[in-house]
């Protein structure tokens, strides 16, 4: 079992200790500003959990809520004010945002040092170039941390990522490539998805399609990471069909796998952002 909840708990504890050590030295506690536009229920739950995790480790959490009718300019204005606020270490803008918002402009307006999601083109570019010091996006970083912690061998492994979004699939593939996996990225135009997934020593399912990955599509003994958060009858389920657990060598529970690791990486990125500004 790739137990994300347990590993995330250990990471929160480590950050809590490091935050209190800084505070004991007279340094300010890091601060995370979360921005939520509109009243999407799932987004509200995600933001609340991130705020709770921040507070739990001694990071100050600032909650910014804006009406769904806000314009791109108004959101950019808030981002600029958070950039200029010396007491803010990191800024998280919860996605998705309402359709009239141009997220490319909003993210470009964010100070890359405060981009704790790792979505700014500077950070994404550094990840693509494999440069040290990039802020790695939280979900892909959490996936890799979970695999490494479990002792899954990434170097030389065949890794197949199903999904190519800028938030999850593409950066997950890049982080696996950086660790010397041989990576294939699949998407909706991929012919014979199963032919690819069956080769995978590491299979990352990030399509958001219930039951997409059937038991027959998984190589026996593979490490299977179920990223998706699909909502069925009020319950979170991933992309895996029944029986995958019988063939996989390692498997993330869902929920309790990638979700907690995503939040742990956000908290770590926020701490690191503060340390980078005020060593
Ligand atoms: P997204 O932007 O909708 O991207 C989904 C990707 O999957 C796309 O690249 C799409 O291909 C591909 N895809 C969809 N159906 C497919 C199919 N039948 N066969 C092959 N590829 C298929 O979603 P996302 O933001 O990457 O998120 C992916 C999933 O992860 C969602 O369920 C999301 O809720 C979840 N998620 C979880 C966490 C967490 O912390 N656990 C964090 C972020 C996201 P095309 O590009 O060709 O359309």
């Amino acid at each position: 079992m790739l137990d994300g909840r347990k590993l995330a708990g250990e990471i929160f504890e480590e950050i809590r200790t490091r935050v209190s050590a800084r505070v004991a030295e007279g340094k300010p506690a890091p601060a995370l500003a979360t921005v939520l536009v509109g009243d999407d229920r799932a987004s509200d739950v995600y933001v609340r959990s991130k705020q709770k995790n921040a507070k739990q480790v001694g990071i100050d959490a600032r909650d910014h809520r804006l009406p769904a009718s806000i314009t791109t300019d108004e959101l950019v204005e808030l981002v600029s004010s958070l950039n200029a606020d010396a007491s803010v270490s990191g800024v998280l803008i919860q996605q998705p945002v309402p359709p009239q918002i141009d997220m490319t402009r909003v993210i470009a307006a964010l100070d890359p040092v405060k981009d704790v999601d790792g979505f700014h083109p500077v950070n994404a570019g550094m990840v693509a170039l494999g440069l040290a010091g990039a802020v790695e996006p939280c979900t892909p970083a959490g996936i890799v941390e979970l695999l490494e912690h479990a002792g899954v061998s990434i170097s030389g492994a065949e890794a197949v990522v199903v999904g190519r979004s800028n938030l999850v699939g593409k950066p997950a593939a890049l982080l696996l490539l950086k660790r010397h996996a041989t990576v294939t990225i699949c998407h909706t135009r991929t012919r014979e998805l199963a032919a690819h997934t069956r080769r995978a020593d590491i299979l990352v399912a990030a399509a958001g399609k219930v039951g997409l990955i059937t038991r027959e599509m998984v190589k026996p003994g593979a490490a299977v990471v179920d990223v998706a958060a699909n909502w069925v009858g009020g319950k979170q389920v991933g992309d895996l069909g029944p029986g995958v657990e019988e063939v996989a060598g390692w498997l993330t529970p869902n929920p309790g796998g990638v979700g907690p690791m995503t939040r742990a990486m956000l908290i770590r990125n926020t701490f690191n952002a503060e340390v980078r500004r005020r060593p």
Side-chain angles (χ1 to χ4, degrees), residues 46 139 162-169 186-190 193 205-209 212 226-231 236-237 239 254 257-263:
Y46 292 142
T139 301
V162 184
R164 58 172 164 180
S165 73
N166 288 332
L167 273 62
V168 184
C186 299
H187 45 80
T188 52
R189 313 288 172 91
T190 299
L193 179 63
K209 291 280 172 287
L212 177 66
D226 190 13
V227 184
N230 306 305
W231 291 93
Q236 181 181 315
V237 297
D239 283 350
N254 193 338
V258 178
M261 286 304 295
T262 297
R263 297 199 306 278

Side-chain angles (χ1 to χ4, degrees), residues 98-225:
Q100 79 277 11
I101 305 268
D102 178 355
M103 254 334 255
T104 307
R105 261 187 67 206
V106 174
I107 292 173
L110 184 59
D111 180 344
V113 174
K114 295 192 179 188
D115 168 37
V116 286
D117 262 333
F119 294 159
H120 190 282
V122 166
N123 288 313
M126 287 174 76
V127 167
L129 294 173
L131 299 178
V135 180
E136 295 184 342
C138 303
T139 301
I143 292 169
V144 168
E145 182 99 8
L146 201 46
L147 291 169
E148 285 182 328
H149 186 265
V152 175
S153 173
I154 300 179
S155 180
E158 288 279 346
V160 174
V161 180
V162 184
R164 58 172 164 180
S165 73
N166 288 332
L167 273 62
V168 184
K170 209 182 286 175
L174 288 166
L175 295 188
L176 290 164
L177 180 64
K178 189 179 180 193
R179 287 157 183 83
H180 314 293
T182 302
V183 184
T184 304
I185 305 178
C186 299
H187 45 80
T188 52
R189 313 288 172 91
T190 299
R191 284 191 298 250
E192 295 196 53
L193 179 63
H196 296 283
T197 60
R198 269 198 294 265
R199 282 191 293 105
D201 303 310
I202 297 170
L203 177 59
V204 177
K209 291 280 172 287
V210 179
L212 177 66
I213 308 295
T214 62
R215 173 197 171 114
E216 294 71 33
M217 293 166 74
V218 177
K219 179 178 176 178
V224 182
V225 179

